[in-house]
Amino acid sequence: MTLLRRTAGLAAALTGTLAALLAPTAAQAAPSGCPAASTAAPDAGPSPAVALDAEQARLQDDRTAAFTERSGLRDLLHGFPAALCSARTAHRAERVVDAWGRALWRAGVDRAQGRRPGGELPALDDRPLYWTRLAMTVQLDRWQPRFAVDHAGLRARFEDASRGLGDGFSTAPGLRRIFVSGFDPFGLDGEPRRANPSGAAVLQLDGQRITLADGSTAEVRAVVLPVRYGDFDRGIVERAFGPHLRPGPQAADLITSISQGYPGIFTLEAWAGRARSADPYPDNVEALSGGTTEHPVDAPGLADGPQFIRTSLPTDAMTAVQQPYPVLLNTPVTEIPAGATDPVVRPDGPTPGSRAVAGGGGGYLSNEVAYRSNRLRLDLAPGLPGGHLHTPVLTGLPTDQGLLTAPEFERNEAAIADQVRAVLSSARL
């Protein structure tokens, strides 16, 4: 209990709401579903009673656990079970997962921005947040209280909170507002050490104020989205962007989704397509989209909208930022022309009446986040600048598979993040 109270205190320092939600009192030494033995530091391995999904199963690689242990985030992982065990009702459990999800998000942002020292890994690294979140979802999944809980609902709440969906812009007068999204690492079966520079960049930007090209000041708010089709089907993009597209104090002046794209260049995608067409490439839980280039499909849950949506970002200004990487406007799409059955690549955008196969960014989730967010923009704030930015591929991981980072990797990650900031700052709002 001493260790758990200490780690609970560290976590409580991250958010004022945690203190009341943590370790049980002496009169609650064995709370519902948590025998006294469970107050020891949790076993990082899987519970035999709960099957791991394909994403969680990667935690069995020792290197993935090292991202938590070597980043200063282990206090959250080791304190979470005691917090869950303090919950005596389903409502209390919701409050616990909300608070701990927010604490994890703030810890990831604070690491990226140099406000949370600790650990050997570089501050600008999105991987500790990703792997710690995933380990905490295993703890949540295997928690079996003596009262009924909706595990799927609790997982969704924890995911949203730990990805920044609950945060909002300040109410300071005179500020412009920019809302951005990044992504988790992906392609982890072949290389579990991979990072995602879009996630790293938006962690560094969240809550920051930047000076725009017209001299005005903008506040940036960010979320990091999962690389999972199921979460998109259940509306995570609309939940993230919706509050910032509706009129009110949280309305943004510019939105853009960001993801990792092509080697050596940034691209602003001129067009987002409605279709999924990425199979056989899977998502992070090994799920497929159901669509191919020859047979594209619409994503479940999509409201009516055009086959293609053109960016409304200030692309002329943004493509003027050419250092250290070129920034290009990417105009091609893949479509099935009206009256035809075979896909065709069009270098300058779609033709009237065609069926979308892929936007400039392909037919995967990076294209879909652009389509979903901008379809919603057309409904709620059609005059707002919005689009999608692809970063260069992040390179520089050491060839020694036992090493998690290297100077070249860290330099490249920092250079990409700095240029994302410069591209956003080029706007005139």
Side-chain angles (χ1 to χ4, degrees), residues 338-384:
T341 57
D342 296 326
V344 174
V345 176
R346 300 290 190 192
D348 297 314
T351 57
S354 67
R355 168 75 164 97
V357 176
Y364 194 50
L365 289 170
S366 58
N367 170 78
E368 188 169 326
V369 68
Y371 184 88
R372 283 182 178 269
S373 59
N374 284 280
R375 192 212 61 77
L376 195 61
R377 176 182 62 79
L378 292 180
D379 279 353
L380 300 176
L384 194 75

Side-chain angles (χ1 to χ4, degrees), residues 10-42:
L10 289 170
L14 297 171
T15 174
T17 62
L18 277 178
L21 301 174
L22 296 178
T25 66
Q28 299 171 324
S32 298
C34 300
S38 72
T39 59

Side-chain angles (χ1 to χ4, degrees), residues 5-163:
R5 289 194 178 104
R6 186 183 304 125
T7 57
L10 289 170
L14 297 171
T15 174
T17 62
L18 277 178
L21 301 174
L22 296 178
T25 66
Q28 299 171 324
S32 298
C34 300
S38 72
T39 59
D43 179 3
S47 166
V50 179
L52 302 178
D53 64 34
E55 192 171 25
Q56 293 170 330
R58 298 187 187 102
L59 290 163
Q60 296 172 96
D61 187 315
D62 289 342
R63 291 171 294 178
T64 64
F67 285 113
T68 296
E69 294 298 319
R70 294 172 55 188
S71 66
L73 297 185
R74 71 186 303 271
D75 56 304
L76 288 166
L77 179 63
H78 285 246
F80 190 40
L84 290 172
C85 290
S86 73
R88 293 302 192 99
T89 67
H91 176 67
R92 184 78 168 180
E94 290 176 350
R95 292 182 62 203
V96 168
V97 299
D98 288 348
W100 280 77
R102 288 194 300 270
L104 178 58
W105 172 252
R106 294 312 325 160
V109 170
D110 287 347
R111 278 196 86 257
Q113 297 180 16
R115 294 189 298 271
R116 184 185 167 96
E120 310 156 41
L121 294 174
L124 184 58
D125 193 336
D126 64 314
R127 297 172 296 175
L129 174 60
Y130 172 74
W131 290 108
T132 304
R133 179 193 299 113
L134 202 57
M136 291 172 75
T137 67
V138 175
Q139 294 174 330
L140 178 58
D141 288 348
R142 71 186 189 185
W143 177 50
Q144 297 295 328
R146 297 193 184 104
F147 54 89
V149 294
D150 174 7
H151 272 94
L154 290 177
R155 169 81 180 265
R157 295 179 75 103
F158 178 77
E159 290 272 356
D160 279 8
S162 67
R163 295 179 177 282

Side-chain angles (χ1 to χ4, degrees), residues 77-322:
L77 179 63
H78 285 246
F80 190 40
L84 290 172
C85 290
S86 73
R88 293 302 192 99
T89 67
H91 176 67
R92 184 78 168 180
E94 290 176 350
R95 292 182 62 203
V96 168
V97 299
D98 288 348
W100 280 77
R102 288 194 300 270
L104 178 58
W105 172 252
R106 294 312 325 160
V109 170
D110 287 347
R111 278 196 86 257
Q113 297 180 16
R115 294 189 298 271
R116 184 185 167 96
E120 310 156 41
L121 294 174
L124 184 58
D125 193 336
D126 64 314
R127 297 172 296 175
L129 174 60
Y130 172 74
W131 290 108
T132 304
R133 179 193 299 113
L134 202 57
M136 291 172 75
T137 67
V138 175
Q139 294 174 330
L140 178 58
D141 288 348
R142 71 186 189 185
W143 177 50
Q144 297 295 328
R146 297 193 184 104
F147 54 89
V149 294
D150 174 7
H151 272 94
L154 290 177
R155 169 81 180 265
R157 295 179 75 103
F158 178 77
E159 290 272 356
D160 279 8
S162 67
R163 295 179 177 282
L165 270 71
D167 284 6
F169 292 105
S170 73
T171 57
L175 288 176
R176 301 291 192 173
R177 300 182 182 94
I178 295 176
F179 186 74
V180 300
S181 67
F183 271 110
D184 284 345
F186 64 99
L188 299 167
D189 286 331
E191 176 51 272
R193 300 175 300 163
R194 279 198 178 103
N196 193 320
S198 70
V202 303
L203 285 172
Q204 191 171 57
L205 283 166
D206 183 61
Q208 293 290 302
R209 295 180 181 181
I210 61 176
T211 301
L212 303 180
D214 59 8
S216 63
T217 300
E219 180 178 305
V220 183
R221 282 295 173 186
V223 295
V224 175
L225 298 172
V227 184
R228 297 189 297 247
Y229 287 113
D231 294 77
F232 275 52
D233 296 346
R234 293 185 289 272
I236 193 170
V237 174
E238 289 79 4
R239 292 199 305 278
F241 282 85
H244 307 295
L245 291 170
R246 298 183 181 93
Q250 290 301 312
D253 296 292
L254 179 149
I255 64 165
T256 188
S257 47
I258 307 172
S259 65
Q260 179 176 251
Y262 309 97
I265 58 170
F266 278 86
T267 56
L268 287 161
E269 302 307 331
W271 298 94
R274 185 175 175 85
R276 289 177 176 174
S277 58
D279 293 355
Y281 193 83
D283 69 5
N284 272 354
V285 291
E286 305 297 343
L288 296 174
S289 72
T292 65
T293 300
E294 291 72 26
H295 301 286
V297 299
D298 282 358
L302 269 184
D304 291 342
Q307 289 294 304
F308 291 96
I309 299 175
R310 187 176 178 86
T311 185
S312 58
L313 291 172
T315 56
D316 287 348
M318 289 179 165
T319 54
V321 181
Q322 291 289 314

